[in-house]
């Protein structure tokens, strides 16, 4: 990556682009974000980029963390936290809010704030609310700092499963049957909200999947086989998000496809298949990250099916106005039709995550994947585009 276009003063020598890897955050996906950050930090080419790891604690404080990927791994079935990785429990990091100044400042109580130097691009590997949902992207837009991944609108659409489905439907992509229960509906009339869900089961049968509308990594999701388990599932979903989504089960195969932004536009990877996990009712958090249920890459599809799902993945990317990357998740139904389930605008980047595995099978190794994402971010300006 050429550094000639980076911000330079006349007497400042050319330097390597500086990447701030921001991770953690206030959502229930905090730990997986830390695992993702470890993998990204390990893969970034330090001969090409300078790196500054910045963690966000679960309380929302921005801190400096050790540049130590080995400490960011799942150990004894537990995910790491930014509080464990923070270099200080008193100090904090502040990003600039002036687009003409990209200098990061570190301060501790009773001490003079210390400038940490300018950053050229942020690699935000946060998952879930307060990071993947457009909130961090809006802050970076105000700061004038380029960043990896989708902008404010696409990030918000990609996080809210209701509006994601509405956007996809408006662009002609097929989605499965669902209902949404908004906070006010549940708070004002639980009985009516419950009847709405039962009506979905009456139309499409059990089981149903009850989910937080704005969360990921399969956290807070319950497979409900009959009416007896419904209230507990609603309570679990609402523990993560007061707005919930309830989906009818689709009979078919789970197929995923990665989309990556190249110089000439987005391209789709070879697809993968997620087989039903032996020890789990469905592909939940434990199956994904703790027990590492392996996917099948590439998916055993016909050439026509492969072409179709890759085409649909790029369509979904474009429909939501995404940038950088997306993982698109589909069901291939028993009727041979692809139904899109969701997109992830910042999919997991752990060593076992499907997004990097699909691109590796497509000829893009993990370090090149990270490099392409950073370069794509550096090519873009902030603001309207």
């Amino acid at each position: 990556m050429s550094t000639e276009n980076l911000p330079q003063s006349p007497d400042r020598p050319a330097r390597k682009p500086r990447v701030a890897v921001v991770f953690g955050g206030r959502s229930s996906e905090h730990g997986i974000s830390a695992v993702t950050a470890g993998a990204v930090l390990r893969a970034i080419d330090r001969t090409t980029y300078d790196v500054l790891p910045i963690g966000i604690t679960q309380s929302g404080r921005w801190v400096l963390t050790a540049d130590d990927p080995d400490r960011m791994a799942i150990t004894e079935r537990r995910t790491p936290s930014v509080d464990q990785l923070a270099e200080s429990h008193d100090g904090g990091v502040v990003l600039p809010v002036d687009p003409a100044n990209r200098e990061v400042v570190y301060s501790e109580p009773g001490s003079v704030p210390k400038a940490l130097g300018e950053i050229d691009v942020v690699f935000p590997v946060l998952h879930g609310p307060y990071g993947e949902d457009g909130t961090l992207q809006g802050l970076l837009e105000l700061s004038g700092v380029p960043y990896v991944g989708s902008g404010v609108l696409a990030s918000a659409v990609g996080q809210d499963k209701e509006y994601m489905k509405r956007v996809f439907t408006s662009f002609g992509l097929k989605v499965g049957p669902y209902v949404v229960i908004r906070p006010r509906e549940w708070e004002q009339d639980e009985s009516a909200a419950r009847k709405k869900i039962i009506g979905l089961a009456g139309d499409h049968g059990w089981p149903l999947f009850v989910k937080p509308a704005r969360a990921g990594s399969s956290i807070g999701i319950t497979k409900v086989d009959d009416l007896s388990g419904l209230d507990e599932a609603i309570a679990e979903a609402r523990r993560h998000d007061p707005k919930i989504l309830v989906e009818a089960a689709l009979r078919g195969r789970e197929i995923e496809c990665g989309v990556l932004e190249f110089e000439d536009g987005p391209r789709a990877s070879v697809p993968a298949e997620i087989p039903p996990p032996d020890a789990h009712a469905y592909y939940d958090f434990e199956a994904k990250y703790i027990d590492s249920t392996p996917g099948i890459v590439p998916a055993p599809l016909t050439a026509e099916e492969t072409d179709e799902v890759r085409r649909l993945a790029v369509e979904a990317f474009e429909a939501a106005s995404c940038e950088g990357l997306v993982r698109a998740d589909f069901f291939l139904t028993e009727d041979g039709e692809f139904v899109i389930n969701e997109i992830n605008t910042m999919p997991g980047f752990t060593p076992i995550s499907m997004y990097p595995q699909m691109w590796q099978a497509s000829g893009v190794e993990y370090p090149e994947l990270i490099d392409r994402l950073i370069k794509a971010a550096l090519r873009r300006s902030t603001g309207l585009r």
Side-chain angles (χ1 to χ4, degrees), residues 232-262:
E232 184 178 347
I234 292 171
E236 171 61 15
R238 283 178 51 81
R239 192 166 68 85
H240 299 276
D241 186 349
K243 175 181 175 179
I244 66 171
L245 182 88
V246 184
E247 296 174 331
L250 291 175
R251 274 71 179 179
R253 299 159 61 187
E254 290 191 51
I255 305 295
E256 298 184 349
C257 191
V259 180
L260 178 64
E261 184 181 341
F262 285 73

PDB file of all heavy atoms in Angstrom, residues 232-262:
ATOM      1  N   GLU A 232     -40.409 -18.839  28.220  1.00  0.00           N
ATOM      2  CA  GLU A 232     -39.000 -18.847  28.620  1.00  0.00           C
ATOM      3  C   GLU A 232     -38.106 -18.359  27.474  1.00  0.00           C
ATOM      4  O   GLU A 232     -37.139 -17.622  27.696  1.00  0.00           O
ATOM      5  CB  GLU A 232     -38.588 -20.259  29.038  1.00  0.00           C
ATOM      6  CG  GLU A 232     -37.161 -20.343  29.570  1.00  0.00           C
ATOM      7  CD  GLU A 232     -36.790 -21.749  30.019  1.00  0.00           C
ATOM      8  OE1 GLU A 232     -37.714 -22.597  30.145  1.00  0.00           O
ATOM      9  OE2 GLU A 232     -35.599 -22.000  30.250  1.00  0.00           O
ATOM     10  N   ALA A 233     -38.445 -18.730  26.246  1.00  0.00           N
ATOM     11  CA  ALA A 233     -37.674 -18.282  25.081  1.00  0.00           C
ATOM     12  C   ALA A 233     -37.799 -16.776  24.881  1.00  0.00           C
ATOM     13  O   ALA A 233     -36.819 -16.089  24.559  1.00  0.00           O
ATOM     14  CB  ALA A 233     -38.133 -19.025  23.834  1.00  0.00           C
ATOM     15  N   ILE A 234     -39.010 -16.248  25.073  1.00  0.00           N
ATOM     16  CA  ILE A 234     -39.213 -14.801  24.948  1.00  0.00           C
ATOM     17  C   ILE A 234     -38.396 -14.063  25.998  1.00  0.00           C
ATOM     18  O   ILE A 234     -37.737 -13.056  25.703  1.00  0.00           O
ATOM     19  CB  ILE A 234     -40.714 -14.463  25.075  1.00  0.00           C
ATOM     20  CG1 ILE A 234     -41.485 -15.001  23.864  1.00  0.00           C
ATOM     21  CG2 ILE A 234     -40.915 -12.952  25.218  1.00  0.00           C
ATOM     22  CD1 ILE A 234     -42.994 -14.911  23.997  1.00  0.00           C
ATOM     23  N   ALA A 235     -38.411 -14.561  27.218  1.00  0.00           N
ATOM     24  CA  ALA A 235     -37.646 -13.919  28.291  1.00  0.00           C
ATOM     25  C   ALA A 235     -36.159 -13.928  27.984  1.00  0.00           C
ATOM     26  O   ALA A 235     -35.445 -12.934  28.228  1.00  0.00           O
ATOM     27  CB  ALA A 235     -37.927 -14.617  29.623  1.00  0.00           C
ATOM     28  N   GLU A 236     -35.659 -15.033  27.445  1.00  0.00           N
ATOM     29  CA  GLU A 236     -34.233 -15.123  27.117  1.00  0.00           C
ATOM     30  C   GLU A 236     -33.869 -14.154  25.998  1.00  0.00           C
ATOM     31  O   GLU A 236     -32.840 -13.467  26.065  1.00  0.00           O
ATOM     32  CB  GLU A 236     -33.880 -16.552  26.708  1.00  0.00           C
ATOM     33  CG  GLU A 236     -32.479 -16.745  26.148  1.00  0.00           C
ATOM     34  CD  GLU A 236     -31.365 -16.397  27.118  1.00  0.00           C
ATOM     35  OE1 GLU A 236     -31.634 -16.262  28.345  1.00  0.00           O
ATOM     36  OE2 GLU A 236     -30.206 -16.260  26.660  1.00  0.00           O
ATOM     37  N   ALA A 237     -34.695 -14.056  24.965  1.00  0.00           N
ATOM     38  CA  ALA A 237     -34.414 -13.123  23.879  1.00  0.00           C
ATOM     39  C   ALA A 237     -34.468 -11.682  24.366  1.00  0.00           C
ATOM     40  O   ALA A 237     -33.604 -10.861  24.033  1.00  0.00           O
ATOM     41  CB  ALA A 237     -35.402 -13.342  22.736  1.00  0.00           C
ATOM     42  N   ARG A 238     -35.469 -11.362  25.198  1.00  0.00           N
ATOM     43  CA  ARG A 238     -35.617  -9.996  25.698  1.00  0.00           C
ATOM     44  C   ARG A 238     -34.521  -9.621  26.696  1.00  0.00           C
ATOM     45  O   ARG A 238     -34.285  -8.434  26.956  1.00  0.00           O
ATOM     46  CB  ARG A 238     -37.001  -9.821  26.341  1.00  0.00           C
ATOM     47  CG  ARG A 238     -38.117  -9.669  25.312  1.00  0.00           C
ATOM     48  CD  ARG A 238     -39.489  -9.549  25.974  1.00  0.00           C
ATOM     49  NE  ARG A 238     -39.520  -8.525  27.014  1.00  0.00           N
ATOM     50  CZ  ARG A 238     -39.669  -7.216  26.788  1.00  0.00           C
ATOM     51  NH1 ARG A 238     -39.817  -6.766  25.545  1.00  0.00           N
ATOM     52  NH2 ARG A 238     -39.700  -6.361  27.792  1.00  0.00           N
ATOM     53  N   ARG A 239     -33.850 -10.603  27.232  1.00  0.00           N
ATOM     54  CA  ARG A 239     -32.706 -10.316  28.103  1.00  0.00           C
ATOM     55  C   ARG A 239     -31.575  -9.653  27.318  1.00  0.00           C
ATOM     56  O   ARG A 239     -30.780  -8.895  27.866  1.00  0.00           O
ATOM     57  CB  ARG A 239     -32.214 -11.620  28.749  1.00  0.00           C
ATOM     58  CG  ARG A 239     -31.227 -11.426  29.888  1.00  0.00           C
ATOM     59  CD  ARG A 239     -31.067 -12.703  30.676  1.00  0.00           C
ATOM     60  NE  ARG A 239     -30.402 -13.740  29.903  1.00  0.00           N
ATOM     61  CZ  ARG A 239     -29.072 -13.851  29.812  1.00  0.00           C
ATOM     62  NH1 ARG A 239     -28.278 -12.982  30.414  1.00  0.00           N
ATOM     63  NH2 ARG A 239     -28.539 -14.833  29.116  1.00  0.00           N
ATOM     64  N   HIS A 240     -31.519  -9.898  26.009  1.00  0.00           N
ATOM     65  CA  HIS A 240     -30.482  -9.325  25.144  1.00  0.00           C
ATOM     66  C   HIS A 240     -30.992  -8.151  24.328  1.00  0.00           C
ATOM     67  O   HIS A 240     -30.204  -7.310  23.887  1.00  0.00           O
ATOM     68  CB  HIS A 240     -29.933 -10.408  24.207  1.00  0.00           C
ATOM     69  CG  HIS A 240     -29.301 -11.551  24.932  1.00  0.00           C
ATOM     70  ND1 HIS A 240     -27.994 -11.525  25.366  1.00  0.00           N
ATOM     71  CD2 HIS A 240     -29.817 -12.751  25.323  1.00  0.00           C
ATOM     72  CE1 HIS A 240     -27.716 -12.669  25.979  1.00  0.00           C
ATOM     73  NE2 HIS A 240     -28.802 -13.419  25.963  1.00  0.00           N
ATOM     74  N   ASP A 241     -32.311  -8.095  24.081  1.00  0.00           N
ATOM     75  CA  ASP A 241     -32.872  -7.040  23.242  1.00  0.00           C
ATOM     76  C   ASP A 241     -34.368  -6.964  23.523  1.00  0.00           C
ATOM     77  O   ASP A 241     -35.068  -7.978  23.431  1.00  0.00           O
ATOM     78  CB  ASP A 241     -32.631  -7.368  21.764  1.00  0.00           C
ATOM     79  CG  ASP A 241     -33.055  -6.258  20.808  1.00  0.00           C
ATOM     80  OD1 ASP A 241     -33.726  -5.309  21.253  1.00  0.00           O
ATOM     81  OD2 ASP A 241     -32.730  -6.347  19.620  1.00  0.00           O
ATOM     82  N   PRO A 242     -34.909  -5.779  23.869  1.00  0.00           N
ATOM     83  CA  PRO A 242     -36.354  -5.686  24.119  1.00  0.00           C
ATOM     84  C   PRO A 242     -37.205  -5.924  22.872  1.00  0.00           C
ATOM     85  O   PRO A 242     -38.410  -6.144  22.977  1.00  0.00           O
ATOM     86  CB  PRO A 242     -36.527  -4.255  24.649  1.00  0.00           C
ATOM     87  CG  PRO A 242     -35.342  -3.507  24.139  1.00  0.00           C
ATOM     88  CD  PRO A 242     -34.214  -4.502  24.098  1.00  0.00           C
ATOM     89  N   LYS A 243     -36.590  -5.866  21.702  1.00  0.00           N
ATOM     90  CA  LYS A 243     -37.295  -6.170  20.453  1.00  0.00           C
ATOM     91  C   LYS A 243     -36.903  -7.574  20.019  1.00  0.00           C
ATOM     92  O   LYS A 243     -35.706  -7.893  19.932  1.00  0.00           O
ATOM     93  CB  LYS A 243     -36.901  -5.149  19.388  1.00  0.00           C
ATOM     94  CG  LYS A 243     -37.480  -5.411  18.006  1.00  0.00           C
ATOM     95  CD  LYS A 243     -36.996  -4.332  17.035  1.00  0.00           C
ATOM     96  CE  LYS A 243     -37.422  -4.579  15.622  1.00  0.00           C
ATOM     97  NZ  LYS A 243     -36.966  -3.520  14.689  1.00  0.00           N
ATOM     98  N   ILE A 244     -37.887  -8.428  19.764  1.00  0.00           N
ATOM     99  CA  ILE A 244     -37.566  -9.808  19.411  1.00  0.00           C
ATOM    100  C   ILE A 244     -38.136 -10.160  18.043  1.00  0.00           C
ATOM    101  O   ILE A 244     -39.097  -9.559  17.570  1.00  0.00           O
ATOM    102  CB  ILE A 244     -38.054 -10.821  20.475  1.00  0.00           C
ATOM    103  CG1 ILE A 244     -39.584 -10.863  20.541  1.00  0.00           C
ATOM    104  CG2 ILE A 244     -37.451 -10.501  21.832  1.00  0.00           C
ATOM    105  CD1 ILE A 244     -40.120 -11.988  21.414  1.00  0.00           C
ATOM    106  N   LEU A 245     -37.510 -11.147  17.433  1.00  0.00           N
ATOM    107  CA  LEU A 245     -37.913 -11.675  16.132  1.00  0.00           C
ATOM    108  C   LEU A 245     -38.217 -13.153  16.316  1.00  0.00           C
ATOM    109  O   LEU A 245     -37.459 -13.870  16.977  1.00  0.00           O
ATOM    110  CB  LEU A 245     -36.772 -11.494  15.127  1.00  0.00           C
ATOM    111  CG  LEU A 245     -37.033 -11.938  13.695  1.00  0.00           C
ATOM    112  CD1 LEU A 245     -37.659 -10.797  12.911  1.00  0.00           C
ATOM    113  CD2 LEU A 245     -35.725 -12.365  13.012  1.00  0.00           C
ATOM    114  N   VAL A 246     -39.315 -13.596  15.748  1.00  0.00           N
ATOM    115  CA  VAL A 246     -39.682 -15.016  15.821  1.00  0.00           C
ATOM    116  C   VAL A 246     -39.813 -15.531  14.396  1.00  0.00           C
ATOM    117  O   VAL A 246     -40.572 -14.973  13.594  1.00  0.00           O
ATOM    118  CB  VAL A 246     -40.991 -15.220  16.599  1.00  0.00           C
ATOM    119  CG1 VAL A 246     -41.281 -16.716  16.735  1.00  0.00           C
ATOM    120  CG2 VAL A 246     -40.918 -14.552  17.971  1.00  0.00           C
ATOM    121  N   GLU A 247     -39.063 -16.579  14.089  1.00  0.00           N
ATOM    122  CA  GLU A 247     -39.031 -17.121  12.729  1.00  0.00           C
ATOM    123  C   GLU A 247     -39.584 -18.540  12.701  1.00  0.00           C
ATOM    124  O   GLU A 247     -39.338 -19.339  13.621  1.00  0.00           O
ATOM    125  CB  GLU A 247     -37.598 -17.148  12.197  1.00  0.00           C
ATOM    126  CG  GLU A 247     -36.978 -15.776  12.037  1.00  0.00           C
ATOM    127  CD  GLU A 247     -35.512 -15.843  11.646  1.00  0.00           C
ATOM    128  OE1 GLU A 247     -34.834 -16.821  12.002  1.00  0.00           O
ATOM    129  OE2 GLU A 247     -35.058 -14.905  10.976  1.00  0.00           O
ATOM    130  N   ALA A 248     -40.302 -18.843  11.636  1.00  0.00           N
ATOM    131  CA  ALA A 248     -40.704 -20.224  11.392  1.00  0.00           C
ATOM    132  C   ALA A 248     -39.491 -21.018  10.929  1.00  0.00           C
ATOM    133  O   ALA A 248     -38.615 -20.489  10.233  1.00  0.00           O
ATOM    134  CB  ALA A 248     -41.801 -20.268  10.337  1.00  0.00           C
ATOM    135  N   ALA A 249     -39.427 -22.281  11.347  1.00  0.00           N
ATOM    136  CA  ALA A 249     -38.307 -23.128  10.926  1.00  0.00           C
ATOM    137  C   ALA A 249     -38.414 -23.414   9.432  1.00  0.00           C
ATOM    138  O   ALA A 249     -39.499 -23.658   8.906  1.00  0.00           O
ATOM    139  CB  ALA A 249     -38.309 -24.431  11.710  1.00  0.00           C
ATOM    140  N   LEU A 250     -37.271 -23.351   8.760  1.00  0.00           N
ATOM    141  CA  LEU A 250     -37.213 -23.700   7.340  1.00  0.00           C
ATOM    142  C   LEU A 250     -36.536 -25.053   7.199  1.00  0.00           C
ATOM    143  O   LEU A 250     -35.457 -25.280   7.766  1.00  0.00           O
ATOM    144  CB  LEU A 250     -36.429 -22.643   6.563  1.00  0.00           C
ATOM    145  CG  LEU A 250     -37.098 -21.269   6.441  1.00  0.00           C
ATOM    146  CD1 LEU A 250     -36.160 -20.281   5.766  1.00  0.00           C
ATOM    147  CD2 LEU A 250     -38.403 -21.372   5.659  1.00  0.00           C
ATOM    148  N   ARG A 251     -37.155 -25.948   6.466  1.00  0.00           N
ATOM    149  CA  ARG A 251     -36.574 -27.280   6.240  1.00  0.00           C
ATOM    150  C   ARG A 251     -35.612 -27.179   5.063  1.00  0.00           C
ATOM    151  O   ARG A 251     -36.005 -26.835   3.955  1.00  0.00           O
ATOM    152  CB  ARG A 251     -37.657 -28.304   5.936  1.00  0.00           C
ATOM    153  CG  ARG A 251     -38.294 -28.930   7.172  1.00  0.00           C
ATOM    154  CD  ARG A 251     -39.167 -27.963   7.930  1.00  0.00           C
ATOM    155  NE  ARG A 251     -39.783 -28.588   9.098  1.00  0.00           N
ATOM    156  CZ  ARG A 251     -40.576 -27.942   9.934  1.00  0.00           C
ATOM    157  NH1 ARG A 251     -40.866 -26.671   9.739  1.00  0.00           N
ATOM    158  NH2 ARG A 251     -41.104 -28.570  10.971  1.00  0.00           N
ATOM    159  N   GLY A 252     -34.361 -27.445   5.339  1.00  0.00           N
ATOM    160  CA  GLY A 252     -33.381 -27.368   4.270  1.00  0.00           C
ATOM    161  C   GLY A 252     -31.972 -27.326   4.815  1.00  0.00           C
ATOM    162  O   GLY A 252     -31.735 -27.528   6.008  1.00  0.00           O
ATOM    163  N   ARG A 253     -31.029 -27.040   3.952  1.00  0.00           N
ATOM    164  CA  ARG A 253     -29.609 -27.022   4.295  1.00  0.00           C
ATOM    165  C   ARG A 253     -29.158 -25.584   4.548  1.00  0.00           C
ATOM    166  O   ARG A 253     -29.590 -24.659   3.867  1.00  0.00           O
ATOM    167  CB  ARG A 253     -28.798 -27.632   3.146  1.00  0.00           C
ATOM    168  CG  ARG A 253     -29.154 -29.076   2.852  1.00  0.00           C
ATOM    169  CD  ARG A 253     -28.729 -29.482   1.441  1.00  0.00           C
ATOM    170  NE  ARG A 253     -27.291 -29.378   1.243  1.00  0.00           N
ATOM    171  CZ  ARG A 253     -26.689 -29.546   0.065  1.00  0.00           C
ATOM    172  NH1 ARG A 253     -27.417 -29.795  -1.036  1.00  0.00           N
ATOM    173  NH2 ARG A 253     -25.370 -29.447  -0.025  1.00  0.00           N
ATOM    174  N   GLU A 254     -28.279 -25.419   5.544  1.00  0.00           N
ATOM    175  CA  GLU A 254     -27.746 -24.089   5.848  1.00  0.00           C
ATOM    176  C   GLU A 254     -26.506 -23.851   4.985  1.00  0.00           C
ATOM    177  O   GLU A 254     -25.519 -24.581   5.082  1.00  0.00           O
ATOM    178  CB  GLU A 254     -27.388 -23.973   7.329  1.00  0.00           C
ATOM    179  CG  GLU A 254     -28.593 -23.946   8.249  1.00  0.00           C
ATOM    180  CD  GLU A 254     -28.213 -23.575   9.668  1.00  0.00           C
ATOM    181  OE1 GLU A 254     -27.519 -22.550   9.856  1.00  0.00           O
ATOM    182  OE2 GLU A 254     -28.603 -24.318  10.592  1.00  0.00           O
ATOM    183  N   ILE A 255     -26.567 -22.804   4.174  1.00  0.00           N
ATOM    184  CA  ILE A 255     -25.482 -22.468   3.248  1.00  0.00           C
ATOM    185  C   ILE A 255     -25.027 -21.034   3.531  1.00  0.00           C
ATOM    186  O   ILE A 255     -25.863 -20.132   3.671  1.00  0.00           O
ATOM    187  CB  ILE A 255     -25.940 -22.587   1.780  1.00  0.00           C
ATOM    188  CG1 ILE A 255     -26.529 -23.984   1.495  1.00  0.00           C
ATOM    189  CG2 ILE A 255     -24.775 -22.286   0.834  1.00  0.00           C
ATOM    190  CD1 ILE A 255     -25.551 -25.123   1.613  1.00  0.00           C
ATOM    191  N   GLU A 256     -23.716 -20.825   3.606  1.00  0.00           N
ATOM    192  CA  GLU A 256     -23.167 -19.494   3.823  1.00  0.00           C
ATOM    193  C   GLU A 256     -22.262 -19.114   2.660  1.00  0.00           C
ATOM    194  O   GLU A 256     -21.687 -19.987   1.990  1.00  0.00           O
ATOM    195  CB  GLU A 256     -22.369 -19.441   5.130  1.00  0.00           C
ATOM    196  CG  GLU A 256     -23.224 -19.726   6.357  1.00  0.00           C
ATOM    197  CD  GLU A 256     -22.458 -19.579   7.660  1.00  0.00           C
ATOM    198  OE1 GLU A 256     -21.208 -19.467   7.618  1.00  0.00           O
ATOM    199  OE2 GLU A 256     -23.103 -19.579   8.726  1.00  0.00           O
ATOM    200  N   CYS A 257     -22.127 -17.812   2.427  1.00  0.00           N
ATOM    201  CA  CYS A 257     -21.278 -17.327   1.340  1.00  0.00           C
ATOM    202  C   CYS A 257     -20.664 -15.997   1.768  1.00  0.00           C
ATOM    203  O   CYS A 257     -21.346 -15.142   2.344  1.00  0.00           O
ATOM    204  CB  CYS A 257     -22.110 -17.153   0.073  1.00  0.00           C
ATOM    205  SG  CYS A 257     -21.131 -16.874  -1.422  1.00  0.00           S
ATOM    206  N   GLY A 258     -19.384 -15.825   1.507  1.00  0.00           N
ATOM    207  CA  GLY A 258     -18.703 -14.591   1.849  1.00  0.00           C
ATOM    208  C   GLY A 258     -18.653 -13.644   0.666  1.00  0.00           C
ATOM    209  O   GLY A 258     -18.532 -14.063  -0.482  1.00  0.00           O
ATOM    210  N   VAL A 259     -18.752 -12.360   0.956  1.00  0.00           N
ATOM    211  CA  VAL A 259     -18.600 -11.322  -0.069  1.00  0.00           C
ATOM    212  C   VAL A 259     -17.462 -10.412   0.369  1.00  0.00           C
ATOM    213  O   VAL A 259     -17.380 -10.027   1.541  1.00  0.00           O
ATOM    214  CB  VAL A 259     -19.896 -10.507  -0.265  1.00  0.00           C
ATOM    215  CG1 VAL A 259     -19.700  -9.438  -1.334  1.00  0.00           C
ATOM    216  CG2 VAL A 259     -21.050 -11.419  -0.625  1.00  0.00           C
ATOM    217  N   LEU A 260     -16.595 -10.083  -0.571  1.00  0.00           N
ATOM    218  CA  LEU A 260     -15.428  -9.242  -0.302  1.00  0.00           C
ATOM    219  C   LEU A 260     -15.331  -8.184  -1.390  1.00  0.00           C
ATOM    220  O   LEU A 260     -15.525  -8.469  -2.570  1.00  0.00           O
ATOM    221  CB  LEU A 260     -14.154 -10.102  -0.288  1.00  0.00           C
ATOM    222  CG  LEU A 260     -12.815  -9.391  -0.079  1.00  0.00           C
ATOM    223  CD1 LEU A 260     -12.748  -8.732   1.291  1.00  0.00           C
ATOM    224  CD2 LEU A 260     -11.661 -10.391  -0.244  1.00  0.00           C
ATOM    225  N   GLU A 261     -15.024  -6.957  -0.979  1.00  0.00           N
ATOM    226  CA  GLU A 261     -14.902  -5.850  -1.920  1.00  0.00           C
ATOM    227  C   GLU A 261     -13.504  -5.839  -2.543  1.00  0.00           C
ATOM    228  O   GLU A 261     -12.511  -5.678  -1.838  1.00  0.00           O
ATOM    229  CB  GLU A 261     -15.166  -4.527  -1.203  1.00  0.00           C
ATOM    230  CG  GLU A 261     -15.154  -3.306  -2.097  1.00  0.00           C
ATOM    231  CD  GLU A 261     -15.401  -2.019  -1.332  1.00  0.00           C
ATOM    232  OE1 GLU A 261     -15.922  -2.079  -0.201  1.00  0.00           O
ATOM    233  OE2 GLU A 261     -15.064  -0.949  -1.873  1.00  0.00           O
ATOM    234  N   PHE A 262     -13.452  -6.035  -3.849  1.00  0.00           N
ATOM    235  CA  PHE A 262     -12.210  -5.926  -4.605  1.00  0.00           C
ATOM    236  C   PHE A 262     -12.180  -4.555  -5.292  1.00  0.00           C
ATOM    237  O   PHE A 262     -13.131  -3.782  -5.208  1.00  0.00           O
ATOM    238  CB  PHE A 262     -12.119  -7.047  -5.645  1.00  0.00           C
ATOM    239  CG  PHE A 262     -11.798  -8.400  -5.052  1.00  0.00           C
ATOM    240  CD1 PHE A 262     -12.757  -9.102  -4.331  1.00  0.00           C
ATOM    241  CD2 PHE A 262     -10.539  -8.961  -5.215  1.00  0.00           C
ATOM    242  CE1 PHE A 262     -12.467 -10.336  -3.790  1.00  0.00           C
ATOM    243  CE2 PHE A 262     -10.238 -10.204  -4.670  1.00  0.00           C
ATOM    244  CZ  PHE A 262     -11.206 -10.897  -3.962  1.00  0.00           C
TER     245      PHE A 262
END
